[in-house]
Amino acid sequence: MTKTLISVVGPTAIGKTALSIKLAQHFNTEIVSADSRQFYKEMCIGTAVPSSEELKSAIHHFIQHKSVEEHYTVGDFERDAISVIQNIHKHNSIALMVGGSGLYVKAVTKGLDDFPEVDNTIRTNLNEALNTQGLQSLQNRLKTLDPVAYDTIAIDNPQRVIRALEICLGTNTPYSSFLTNPEKARPFKTIAIGLNAERSIIYDRINQRVDIMVKDGLVEEAKRLFPYRQLNALNTVGYKELFQYFEGTYTLDFAISEIKKNTRRFAKRQLTWFRKDTSIAWFDYKTATDEIIRYIENLL
């Protein structure tokens, strides 16, 4: 049988973990996580890491294998994930990947895009602008120069915004125009499965998940990570809002409402990203697993 990677994607809180475990058990295979914030062992509640029971239900890779103090790029993940997938394929023709970090999924399935070199002073100037004018000014600038990138990248991540802007400014061409490079050859074929629901349902599920996280100790977890708040790994929804609470900028209730709002915005960007990929077969989040398995087996 052809070496195959089943990739399960979709917005946050839609049920990807539960589906991936059922698929892994059916195909007797292992799961590669492509959720870039679940890589970090200090971040558990706020990143919705699979429970101990879920982790025991199937072999998982790239779950809490790094520290927030370690530098780990999407390029590093591309290399490591492909190596793990090839090892799985040595004893099973099917491997499984699950996650909502679109760039990390794309890195594995299609390869990273190649960007031209630009003058380093552009990034230096943008970093200075970030420090003096704030992130919103850079976001507004990107929205003018490249509205497509503004709608699809992690707009709350200063590094991603600066990267997009430096390409726009250094090439006089939208950053998003470089996201169409030919796919890189992979030693496996990919079957992409997407889970979705009506927006109101997604938003309700997000709100409920945040409430559960708070009940399970998210505030206490964020407090332990507060000394590391300048690290890129912690520029993450669910933590950065609580850091504002600890600093006295937000009340706790407002911080929690901001977590919900920013998570909903993140889910919207996830869907915008994934909908560009016409190879994804979309299923309602309530679809019976057997139906999804039949679809996959027909393609196999």
Side-chain angles (χ1 to χ4, degrees):
M1 188 180 291
T2 304
K3 305 296 186 188
T4 303
L5 176 68
I6 301 171
S7 174
V8 178
V9 302
T12 189
I14 198 67
K16 298 185 296 294
T17 297
L19 174 62
S20 67
I21 290 172
K22 292 176 182 176
L23 294 178
Q25 291 174 335
H26 177 82
F27 292 107
N28 191 29
T29 191
E30 303 170 19
I31 297 173
V32 172
S33 173
D35 187 317
S36 63
R37 287 308 185 248
Q38 291 183 356
F39 297 163
Y40 301 106
K41 57 190 175 185
E42 298 91 345
M43 301 160 68
C44 182
I45 298 170
T47 58
V49 167
S51 67
S52 57
E53 292 77 14
E54 288 172 326
L55 292 173
K56 291 175 184 175
S57 300
I59 296 174
H60 287 71
H61 301 271
F62 303 100
I63 295 287
Q64 298 188 304
H65 70 302
K66 294 290 180 182
S67 167
V68 293
E69 297 183 83
E70 294 181 69
H71 184 64
Y72 194 65
T73 69
V74 64
D76 295 330
F77 175 71
E78 176 187 13
R79 178 198 64 234
D80 295 345
I82 289 175
S83 176
V84 167
I85 290 166
Q86 289 179 309
N87 284 334
I88 295 171
H89 281 155
K90 289 177 181 178
H91 55 82
N92 192 321
S93 60
I94 296 171
L96 187 63
M97 181 169 69
V98 59
S101 300
L103 184 62
Y104 287 72
V105 173
K106 182 177 184 288
V108 173
T109 59
K110 300 178 181 180
L112 294 172
D113 295 291
D114 297 319
F115 292 95
E117 294 291 328
V118 296
D119 190 339
N120 289 334
T121 59
I122 296 174
R123 172 171 283 262
T124 300
N125 293 337
L126 288 170
N127 277 309
E128 289 178 0
L130 174 66
N131 292 329
T132 58
Q133 301 169 31
L135 177 59
Q136 188 171 354
S137 67
L138 297 183
Q139 292 171 334
N140 292 338
R141 199 170 178 186
L142 180 61
K143 190 173 185 178
T144 299
L145 293 174
D146 190 351
V148 174
Y150 178 86
D151 285 337
T152 54
I153 71 168
I155 200 68
D156 294 326
N157 186 323
Q159 289 189 335
R160 297 279 171 83
V161 174
I162 287 173
R163 177 57 174 159
L165 276 174
E166 72 174 346
I167 295 297
C168 292
L169 296 170
T171 64
N172 290 317
T173 305
Y175 169 86
S176 57
S177 67
F178 294 97
L179 303 178
T180 56
N181 290 337
E183 295 181 13
K184 295 179 181 175
R186 295 295 187 229
F188 51 80
K189 75 172 184 177
T190 299
I191 296 175
I193 303 295
L195 290 183
N196 202 359
E198 293 180 7
R199 182 173 295 182
S200 61
I201 293 174
I202 295 173
Y203 287 1
D204 284 344
R205 290 173 67 89
I206 286 170
N207 293 339
Q208 291 171 20
R209 173 181 275 187
V210 172
D211 288 337
I212 291 170
M213 288 177 171
V214 172
K215 183 179 178 181
D216 287 346
L218 176 60
V219 178
E220 292 75 15
E221 180 175 86
K223 187 170 291 186
R224 289 194 297 272
L225 292 167
F226 184 65
Y228 307 97
R229 61 192 178 280
Q230 301 303 325
L231 297 175
N232 181 57
L234 287 163
N235 183 42
T236 299
V237 175
Y239 296 94
K240 60 183 182 179
E241 296 86 357
L242 288 171
F243 295 159
Q244 297 269 41
Y245 162 60
F246 301 144
E247 291 170 346
T249 307
Y250 291 170
T251 65
L252 179 57
D253 286 345
F254 184 73
I256 293 170
S257 70
E258 285 293 286
I259 293 172
K260 293 176 179 178
K261 181 187 74 176
N262 291 332
T263 306
R264 294 193 298 265
R265 288 178 173 175
F266 175 60
K268 184 179 179 181
R269 289 197 302 274
Q270 286 176 301
L271 284 169
T272 300
W273 174 286
F274 288 124
R275 281 172 177 154
K276 293 185 298 179
D277 187 345
T278 57
S279 69
I280 297 174
W282 291 96
F283 293 87
D284 183 82
Y285 78 111
K286 286 186 176 180
T287 302
T289 305
D290 288 347
E291 182 178 334
I292 297 174
I293 289 173
R294 282 196 297 273
Y295 169 82
I296 293 170
E297 290 182 336
N298 283 337
L299 293 181
L300 292 173

